Amino acid sequence: MTKTATQYSAKAEVSNLYVRRSFYEKAIINLKKAPITAWIGMIIVTFYFFVAIFAPFLAPYGEAQIFKVPYAPWDSVHIFGTDRLGRDIFSRLVYGARNTMGIALITTFLAFLIGVGLGLLSAILSGWVDQILARFVDILMAIPSLIFALMLLSIFGSTALNLILIIAVLDSTRVFRLSRAVGMNIVVMEYVEAAKLRGEKIGWIMSKEILPNILPPLVAEFGLRFCYVFLMIASLSFLGVGIQPPTADWGSMVRETAELIQFAAYDITAALTPILPAAAIGILTIGVNFVVDWFLYLTSGLKDEIK
Amino acid sequence: MKSSKQKKDLLLDIQNISIEGFSDEIWHPIIKGVNLQLYRGEVLGLIGESGAGKSTLGLAAMGFVRTGCRFTSGSINFNGKDLTKLSDKKKQQLWGTKLSYVAQSAAAAFNPAHRLINQTIESSLSHKLNIKETLQKEAVQLYKEMQLPNPDEIGERYPHQVSGGQLQRTMTAMAMSSKPDLIIFDEPTTALDVTTQVNVLATIRSIVKEHQTAAIYITHDLAVVAQMADRIQVLRYGNTVEVAKTSQMLKSPKEEYTKSLWAVRSIKKKEQKSKEIILSIENVSASYGSGPKVLQDININVPTGRTVAIVGESGSGKSTTARSITGLLPPTQGKIIFQNRILPMKLSDRTKEDLRKIQMIYQSPDTSMNPRHTVREIIGRPLSFYHGINKEKNTDKVLELLNMIELDDSFVDRLPEELSGGQKQRICIARALAAEPELIICDEVTSALDQIVQEGILKLLLKLQHELKISYIFITHDIATVKAIADEVVVMHQGLVVEQGSKKEIFSPPHPEYTKLLLSSVPEMDPNWLNKVLEN
């Protein structure tokens, strides 16, 4: 055995051929390869947010402004006519984007705060904490959420705050399950064990060690949850316990203009009026789903299949 | 060697093959024009570090590339057919009949829901090589040849009902079932314990000889390949470094790189004694939940500033000992005395100072570093956590530590995935050092690394011990590593301490029965080693 002649150097060791790209560069590359559906979804979502943010500038009238003629036909003054109290439908559609999406967004954030927090706590602590939390969530999930929300709202009253709190708590159960499941996969990693051995507090382990590693599925879930929350608010409003008048919102607009549909034989535009807020709900849901689908495709291992 | 006869029977002829892999929108070369010849009945050993392209070339010998890879040039001539040009359907007719593959992890390769015998004959049956009854009889015959216990009945078991070594042998029987011309063995014994490995190696070797099957044996363990192969081909960075007959390659390697591979086990440490004891484990027993005792009444002493190596096979309780010391698995009885003070059993009862003094380095640096943290964050955290060093001072200290582990400033903003295996393990060492510990527990820290890198890491650990007077507990199953760095050795088996003593005492006879078996099972670089072991 001869003594080694080659000089070994740790610095010169060949590491992975890997080009580190900034977030911005990665985004450009991914956007270039985005399928048409993702583009449609992104355009829809951007458009909705644009409308929601600039609602006061886009809407010709105020959301609760009442005109003399109720059920006015579609014309140049009132693009989509007026409702039974004489409020401009187009203006209410624009403000509806702001109200419905705003409340849905706040609710989803809150649901994630509760769900991810408790889910990760459950994953890290395991044992009886996990058992109690998980069984409690099972109980909540066993009750159909729309009916449960209806019941709670009629007990506590339909204020915007109650609406947000109740839906957030009910929806956080699903977020809890997801974050607990993906968190469990990370908790068993040695770097989490190393952090525990270092004596780190649970907050650090949750936020610095685990959370960055489970972000992709959580972001995707956020998109889907947003859709569900949004649909739930619309359904509750349609049933009359959601967002209360005079605040404009698409769910209650469908309810308020629903009877117009029977006039289809005389004025087709009148019949289309209740379809408008319903379509606004539907299109946004589809758009968000398109974007989430693409995002899931990007972050899951699927993209490794090259063809 | 009957080389003249073999020349006529060229079975596999790979000419100038190149393979590329796709990642990050670019095609990267993996194999860069490699030639490989294999004659009927010959065993070719394919060795190299991880990433050298061994497995890719092994699979290419079957005309197969992994998803995301492609052949770019060259030809693979198997029995007169160019596999790169055959359609998938034609290749599928060859796979599992003329060409077989034995994977590293038998446990992952078997379907847990089917009996062994049905899986053994599955491919032969689906290619309609024979009727089921005949194939089953042949399978039982193969089990006999593979020296499996109860060959008549073992086929009726499910994969989880047999041991790892038996499963690996069953998989070889599965590969042999169709009487292939060529078998690719991809690190078939890497996942096995040394004492099990000997049997598997012996049976693989004899069955390949008896059936005159050609084989490509892929491994990173030189001692193993010395036992198995007629010829050895050394790969590095997708190129062939050297090809030669085994005996010739061992005696007089030509290339510098090959020489360096052979010279790896050259670190020698003079054992030193120390009277002071930093850690002593007294009568410790531990178990997981209410299960059986994994540690039974063990006693271990660690002298200050010295290295104690704990050796044993998997399941012997080595890692559990480490978990008990760190408090992750509180012992059910006994005492752990650290610096003349009884340590609280539970992790949550220990002070920050207790935790700082005992640091741990893990086997796999891939899972022991958070993939989302940069090197600066990984090394910097213990500094701010234990010593309150923040901001610029923190960065200065991180750079200082990087220098200590022989890396430089350019590494500070890298993520773990941008480092090689050895560099990752160095970062883990730096993280442990940042706490300024008194004792570091190294759990199989070199076993996932290549030979050259291993040597680098071991040298670094020795240097650090010399400079900083740190004590090590070194957990390993590799006797060569123990010989290289230990002062004292503890042999463990089934949760018991078989022996503790200085390195000299342990490695010189008389040995207890188990130590003897363990020591004799470690492959040596002598091509006749396996024959000698089998004779005894």
Side-chain angles (χ1 to χ4, degrees), chain B residues 108-123:
Chain B
F110 275 96
N111 185 335
H114 292 284
R115 291 177 199 280
L116 291 177
I117 191 136
N118 293 335
Q119 301 193 53
T120 310
I121 63 169
E122 190 184 0
S123 70

Side-chain angles (χ1 to χ4, degrees), chain A residues 138-213:
Chain A
D138 285 350
I139 294 170
L140 275 188
M141 285 177 89
I143 307 166
S145 52
L146 187 64
I147 294 171
F148 200 27
L150 252 174
M151 190 187 84
L152 292 176
L153 279 170
S154 43
I155 295 172
F156 296 112
S158 324
T159 63
L161 182 68
N162 280 347
L163 191 69
I164 289 172
L165 287 178
I166 289 168
I167 298 179
V169 169
L170 291 180
D171 244 53
S172 68
T173 53
R174 281 149 223 277
V175 183
F176 170 86
R177 279 204 174 168
L178 176 80
S179 52
R180 177 173 170 272
V182 289
M184 289 259 187
N185 291 333
I186 304 295
V187 165
V188 295
M189 289 294 185
E190 278 162 349
Y191 53 83
V192 178
E193 192 181 300
K196 280 185 194 163
L197 277 183
R198 193 158 61 224
E200 298 283 6
K201 299 273 178 307
I202 198 154
W204 167 280
I205 296 179
M206 268 164 69
S207 62
K208 299 282 171 149
E209 302 286 349
I210 299 181
L211 198 59
N213 289 294

Side-chain angles (χ1 to χ4, degrees), chain B residues 6 19 45 69 93 133 135 292 385 417 463:
Chain B
Q6 282 179 343
I19 299 172
C69 296
Q93 285 170 1
E133 285 68 30
L135 286 170
F385 186 76
E417 62 182 350
K463 188 188 93 182

Side-chain angles (χ1 to χ4, degrees), chain A residues 1-6 8-21 29-30 33 189-194 196-201 204 208-210 212-213 216 304-307, chain B residues 22 24-25 28 67-68 237 256 259-260 262-263 323 326 328 347 355 362 364 367-373 381 385-386 406-408 413-415 417-420 422-423 426 431 452-453 456:
Chain A
M1 311 255 165
T2 43
K3 254 239 171 293
T4 170
T6 38
Y8 169 75
S9 153
K11 280 176 228 165
E13 214 174 276
V14 186
S15 45
N16 292 338
L17 286 166
Y18 186 90
V19 200
R20 175 94 153 271
R21 295 195 175 97
I29 290 175
N30 285 329
K33 291 202 305 180
M189 289 294 185
E190 278 162 349
Y191 53 83
V192 178
E193 192 181 300
K196 280 185 194 163
L197 277 183
R198 193 158 61 224
E200 298 283 6
K201 299 273 178 307
W204 167 280
K208 299 282 171 149
E209 302 286 349
I210 299 181
N213 289 294
D304 288 340
E305 305 276 334
I306 306 151
K307 270 279 141 33
Chain B
F22 192 78
D24 266 327
E25 324 295 313
H28 300 288
T67 356
Y237 306 144
E256 281 301 325
K259 281 180 197 165
S260 77
W262 263 237
R323 291 175 71 85
T326 53
L328 280 171
L347 183 65
L355 297 173
Y362 293 88
S364 152
T367 55
S368 64
M369 284 193 288
N370 196 326
R372 303 273 167 167
H373 291 182
R381 180 60 190 172
F385 186 76
Y386 291 125
E406 294 155 13
L407 296 176
D408 59 28
D413 283 318
R414 293 207 202 174
L415 288 171
E417 62 182 350
E418 295 161 329
L419 302 168
S420 72
Q423 288 163 350
R426 279 165 193 265
R431 176 172 65 181
I452 298 182
V453 183

Side-chain angles (χ1 to χ4, degrees), chain B residues 375-395:
Chain B
V375 167
R376 186 201 303 272
E377 289 168 308
I378 290 167
I379 305 179
R381 180 60 190 172
L383 290 172
S384 58
F385 186 76
Y386 291 125
H387 307 295
I389 303 170
N390 285 320
K391 298 190 181 144
E392 278 125 58
K393 272 198 176 160
N394 191 304
T395 305

Side-chain angles (χ1 to χ4, degrees), chain B residues 118-161:
Chain B
N118 293 335
Q119 301 193 53
T120 310
I121 63 169
E122 190 184 0
S123 70
S124 309
L125 200 62
S126 69
H127 285 107
K128 299 198 177 64
L129 294 181
N130 217 324
I131 56 163
K132 195 174 174 185
E133 285 68 30
T134 324
L135 286 170
Q136 277 178 344
K137 260 183 211 148
E138 285 173 357
V140 171
Q141 184 57 38
L142 280 168
Y143 290 158
K144 254 182 215 150
E145 287 178 44
M146 295 303 291
Q147 295 176 356
L148 285 163
N150 301 327
D152 294 318
E153 286 147 33
I154 196 165
E156 294 304 311
R157 299 203 195 163
Y158 289 96
H160 64 271
Q161 293 174 316

Side-chain angles (χ1 to χ4, degrees), chain B residues 161-180:
Chain B
Q161 293 174 316
V162 300
S163 73
Q166 290 167 355
L167 209 55
Q168 197 59 279
R169 277 183 270 175
T170 313
M171 189 144 87
T172 311
M174 179 158 97
M176 296 295 296
S177 147
S178 60
K179 302 182 189 72

